[in-house]
Amino acid sequence: MNYSQIKKRLAPCGLHCGNCFAFADGDINKTSNKLRKSLGDFDIYAQRFVDLLDEPVFEKYGDFKKLLSYFASVDCKGCRNEKCKLFSNCNVRDCHKTKKVDFCYQCSEFPCDNTGFDEHLYNRSVTINSRIKEIGVEEYYNEIKDVPRY
Ligand code: SF4
Ligand code: SF4
């Protein structure tokens, strides 16, 4: 992937939208759709398997299906296209435009106290941006693209 393609998946704060559960066409979304399709009408069998296999875990299939449907129907287009659904206090999305940078590490004020993040997210963002600064956007993306976000 080139720089502009990577930008669609990496937010200005450095978080990987591409592996976020809410990202439309992200791995979690695509895998959930595939699994939902593969399971077909499993509802009918789930109830039968409780007795046939003496396996009470199948009683939870309804809840599992609801969550799977949720993951399969998410539609976030990523931080550069719409307001983040997870971090309502984020200032970075607007701020990076004002500062005319693609990522925080490119900003003369990095690391700053204007992100709006809690301590955990702030530390994560500083670590990510420091790493991007060290090795570059393309190499960083290759390093993390298949790493689970959670
Ligand atoms: S903008 Fe927020 S909710 Fe949307 S994919 Fe990125 S991190 Fe997830
Ligand atoms: S001021 Fe802070 S939040 Fe805004 S772009 Fe610069 S480093 Fe990022």
Side-chain angles (χ1 to χ4, degrees):
M1 269 196 205
N2 62 32
Y3 184 85
S4 57
Q5 289 168 320
I6 292 170
K7 257 197 340 173
K8 289 179 187 158
R9 299 177 80 86
L10 278 190
C13 67
L15 280 184
H16 187 193
C17 282
N19 279 358
C20 173
F21 78 85
F23 190 65
D25 211 30
D27 283 348
I28 293 175
N29 174 253
K30 281 196 283 195
T31 306
S32 298
N33 271 301
K34 204 171 159 200
L35 180 55
R36 197 163 64 156
K37 199 171 159 196
S38 297
L39 282 165
D41 292 324
F42 195 82
D43 310 64
I44 303 159
Y45 296 89
Q47 199 47 51
R48 288 179 64 200
F49 290 156
V50 172
D51 299 325
L52 275 175
L53 303 177
D54 193 21
E55 186 48 86
V57 73
F58 286 105
E59 285 171 2
K60 310 276 186 200
Y61 183 70
D63 288 338
F64 171 74
K65 188 180 169 186
K66 273 185 208 157
L67 191 56
L68 188 63
S69 297
Y70 181 85
F71 283 148
S73 63
V74 295
D75 62 356
C76 185
K77 292 170 185 62
C79 178
R80 294 180 194 273
N81 291 308
E82 62 179 284
K83 192 169 168 15
C84 181
K85 293 170 164 65
L86 307 181
F87 307 115
S88 55
N89 294 333
C90 172
N91 294 330
V92 182
R93 185 170 187 269
D94 290 332
C95 186
H96 89 283
K97 293 177 194 162
T98 311
K99 299 290 181 188
K100 300 191 186 328
V101 294
D102 292 333
F103 297 95
C104 283
Y105 82 89
Q106 297 162 334
C107 175
S108 59
E109 292 179 40
F110 172 77
C112 75
D113 57 5
N114 186 42
T115 60
F117 295 157
D118 62 25
E119 191 185 347
H120 172 80
L121 191 54
Y122 173 80
N123 289 336
R124 199 167 167 196
S125 172
V126 170
T127 302
I128 290 170
N129 273 279
S130 301
R131 183 67 178 152
I132 302 177
K133 193 172 186 174
E134 188 186 340
I135 63 174
V137 171
E138 287 88 350
E139 198 168 330
Y140 175 76
Y141 185 72
N142 284 332
E143 192 171 81
I144 59 91
K145 67 183 169 56
D146 298 320
V147 176
R149 177 168 153 157
Y150 305 103

